[in-house]
Amino acid sequence: MGPGRNALRTSAVGAVSATLIAAAGLGSAPAAQAAGGTGGGIRFVDIVGDGGTPLKANVVTPAGADGTRAYPLVVLPTSWGLPQVEYLAQAQKLANSGYVVVGYNVRGFWQSGGQIEVAGPPDTADASKVIDWALANTPADPGKIGMAGVSYGAGISLLAAAHDRRVKAVAALSGWADLIDSIYSNRTQHAQAAAVLDGAGRLTGRPGPELQQVFSDFFSSNLSKEQSLIDWGRKRSPATYVDQLNKNGAAVFLANAWGDTVFSPNQYARFYEELTGPKRLEFRPGDHATAELTGLFGLPNDVWTDTGRWFDHYLKGEDNGVDREQPVRLKSRSTGGYEGYPDWKSVGATTRKIALGGTTTIRTNVDSGADGGVVFLSSILDQLTRTPPMASIPLLPRTWAAVWQSGKYTSVQQVRGTARVHTTVTATKESGTLVAYLYDVGPLGLGRLVSNAPYTFHGRTPGKPFGVDLELFSTAYDVPAGHRLALVVDTVDPLYIEHNPSGAQLTFSSPEHDPSYVTVPLREQ
């Protein structure tokens, strides 16, 4: 790994500790409510998973369930690093509305047996074993089975639905479709996100030798291991099995946050477009799993409300209209209002290009002051206070940062979807990293981050120009009238591991035959 691995892991431990404190708080209130509430009660059980691995689980059944009738079943695998009480508040709500709910601690974490498999084949097989157990030991209807989860539980739910035809509906919240694109996009390691996962795994679970080696190769930037890492990730990516998922026909509900620093919205949007069965996609402000968090405490929460509606229609058969609503639903970071679209490509119905003219050379190895913020913290601040990471665009040192700006806009520009950068780069070294940032720039030059994304290259001939096409992370953001958009490119960002040799320089040009630009998607007015 590059410098700072210990610092990254130290910060990860702090983030994980805060998460676990919150999780501990979840353990008492829902359990107490269940013991004396209107539901059928909670049982804590052991389920034998794949290969005999014991899985700690809890079962919540509807009030009055006496074995004379069957109920739809919802299975909830836990998130990475969280204990089995994670979903008890939502499990009780589901049981109160007529579901049998089984939540279980995935293998390798807390009291469940085995080692962390990172949604590998044993985890997928475990999900089927839990379904088997529920059908044998609860009044669950074998024809009405759903799975849901947050983060790790979301990925396992999607993978299980691709491998087990019995799963008829899925709610995958803050999950991933493409594991490699999530934490290794454009050949760039998402260092802070991976450090949080590594730290949480070590604190709350048992990483096996394979996972420890994966993290070691990831952080050390070992290019000889790159293909094996990609293969490892593909095996654990629902996108790899999208044809099986489509063939099985499960109804898939996907929800994520615009600022998710673990699983970016782009990979969910692409996956959504590949699904052919009943489907729904929702994006909201926030970071990883923050949009669902209040629902885990039993508080009103849009994501969990829509999850319940999804299951009510596709498992119970209720005519609640969820199938007739616009299937793509977005909440803007700027206005907080919901918008509906018939599909993802309709989100940015029109585009505006900003020319990246001239020739600009920057030096590497120094953070210019433009960056994507801090994992979790920055996007949570944006979610709660609409305060994204900021930078003074006029004060950015042009030695270390390339800057292009649009003219002032006379009307609000509603950025929706995925901005794309096309440019020509000439490097003085064969490897390098650049990070592009799109800023909303006010009259005083203060830039508010709209989106960003990293790009890493290897094996390039020094001095020979090459084209770069880069997707920024998808978003929904309103640029006020009188403001500008600015594209800033530098080479260092604390979120990512950079690959710039000492003393390297990058030159950005706009050849006449292949001009450089950034395409900004806008909502149709």
Side-chain angles (χ1 to χ4, degrees):
M1 165 185 174
R5 182 177 185 180
N6 289 335
L8 284 170
R9 282 192 170 154
T10 299
S11 64
V13 168
V16 170
S17 298
T19 302
L20 295 181
I21 290 171
L26 292 175
S28 57
Q33 175 191 7
T38 60
I42 296 173
R43 287 189 293 145
F44 290 88
V45 300
D46 289 348
I47 297 175
V48 178
D50 185 55
T53 300
L55 304 174
K56 297 295 181 178
N58 54 72
V59 184
V60 190
T61 53
D66 57 6
T68 60
R69 58 164 290 195
Y71 299 87
L73 168 68
V74 175
V75 174
L76 303 171
T78 51
S79 302
W80 183 274
L82 292 186
Q84 60 161 309
V85 297
E86 176 186 6
Y87 301 117
L88 281 182
Q90 288 301 322
Q92 189 65 66
K93 287 187 176 184
L94 286 166
N96 290 346
S97 61
Y99 292 89
V100 171
V101 186
V102 179
Y104 72 97
N105 239 123
V106 292
R107 66 170 54 221
F109 285 101
W110 294 87
Q111 289 84 16
S112 286
Q115 297 177 329
I116 301 172
E117 297 287 344
V118 195
D123 288 306
T124 304
D126 282 346
S128 292
K129 292 288 188 181
V130 172
I131 292 173
D132 292 342
W133 183 93
L135 294 177
N137 294 277
T138 73
D141 187 332
K144 299 178 179 180
I145 298 173
M147 290 194 65
V150 176
S151 184
Y152 195 39
I156 291 175
S157 294
L158 287 171
L159 289 163
H163 289 87
D164 193 326
R165 289 177 175 271
R166 295 175 297 179
V167 180
K168 303 302 182 185
V170 174
L173 316 178
S174 289
W176 76 93
D178 186 329
L179 189 57
I180 293 302
D181 189 58
S182 296
I183 62 173
Y184 189 57
S185 63
N186 301 304
R187 304 183 77 181
T188 311
Q189 297 101 318
H190 294 216
Q192 289 187 11
V196 167
L197 295 175
D198 187 17
R202 291 173 184 273
L203 279 174
T204 64
R206 296 172 297 282
E210 180 186 36
L211 179 56
Q212 293 182 51
Q213 187 62 51
V214 164
F215 274 121
S216 177
D217 293 339
F218 180 88
F219 286 118
S220 67
S221 305
N222 187 346
L223 284 178
S224 68
K225 299 292 186 178
E226 183 180 40
Q227 189 57 51
S228 64
L229 284 172
I230 291 172
D231 293 341
W232 178 86
R234 282 176 177 163
K235 185 185 296 184
R236 292 160 168 80
S237 296
T240 302
Y241 310 100
V242 67
D243 289 343
Q244 292 175 229
L245 187 56
N246 287 333
K247 184 178 179 181
N248 289 351
V252 178
F253 168 45
L254 305 172
N256 204 354
W258 293 121
D260 194 319
T261 44
V262 180
F263 304 130
S264 75
N266 301 48
Q267 44 93 35
Y268 246 17
R270 283 192 292 269
F271 182 65
Y272 172 84
E273 288 291 273
E274 294 178 359
L275 295 171
T276 58
K279 59 184 179 179
R280 184 180 179 99
L281 176 67
E282 297 184 355
F283 285 130
R284 295 173 175 84
D287 205 310
H288 184 63
T290 62
E292 301 88 2
L293 183 60
T294 56
L296 295 179
F297 289 90
L299 300 174
N301 181 277
D302 289 354
V303 187
W304 286 104
T305 296
D306 286 348
T307 295
R309 295 177 65 229
W310 192 253
F311 286 147
D312 286 347
H313 180 75
Y314 288 103
L315 295 183
K316 287 184 178 180
E318 291 185 3
D319 185 14
N320 57 14
V322 73
D323 57 321
R324 297 188 296 275
E325 297 170 355
Q326 295 276 45
V328 176
R329 201 161 174 254
L330 313 180
K331 192 173 186 180
S332 168
R333 290 165 51 200
S334 303
T335 65
Y338 282 105
E339 304 164 2
Y341 300 86
D343 49 39
W344 175 249
K345 64 178 178 290
S346 299
V347 171
T350 61
T351 59
R352 185 186 297 271
K353 282 187 177 181
I354 302 172
L356 309 179
T359 299
T360 303
T361 298
I362 61 173
R363 297 178 182 177
T364 64
N365 310 119
V366 172
D367 189 342
S368 71
D371 63 56
V374 178
V375 64
F376 293 133
L377 177 61
S378 297
S379 290
I380 291 174
L381 283 175
D382 188 37
Q383 176 185 3
L384 298 178
T385 67
R386 297 180 186 169
T387 307
M390 298 183 187
S392 175
I393 304 305
L395 297 182
L396 291 175
R398 277 18 181 203
T399 301
W400 315 106
V403 180
W404 299 267
Q405 295 193 71
S406 71
K408 288 184 180 180
Y409 296 114
T410 57
S411 61
V412 174
Q413 303 295 295
Q414 294 181 307
V415 179
R416 299 290 186 272
T418 310
R420 292 173 171 83
V421 176
H422 173 75
T423 189
T424 296
V425 177
T426 305
T428 59
K429 305 290 184 179
E430 67 172 13
S431 295
T433 296
L434 59 93
V435 186
Y437 310 89
L438 188 65
Y439 282 100
D440 159 24
V441 185
L444 299 180
L446 182 64
R448 299 165 65 91
L449 187 66
V450 178
S451 185
N452 78 100
Y455 182 94
T456 293
F457 59 88
H458 298 288
R460 293 292 180 178
T461 302
K464 184 177 180 179
F466 60 93
V468 169
D469 288 287
L470 173 61
E471 282 191 353
L472 303 188
F473 299 133
S474 302
T475 194
Y477 182 97
D478 293 356
V479 179
H483 287 213
R484 308 172 186 265
L485 281 171
L487 185 78
V488 176
V489 179
D490 71 2
T491 63
V492 176
D493 189 305
L495 288 173
Y496 313 113
I497 293 178
E498 52 98 1
H499 298 263
N500 297 295
S502 180
Q505 297 183 15
L506 301 179
T507 297
F508 302 91
S509 58
S510 183
E512 185 176 347
H513 67 280
D514 185 19
S516 298
Y517 55 85
V518 55
T519 300
V520 180
L522 301 175
R523 182 185 183 190
E524 190 172 10
Q525 300 299 308

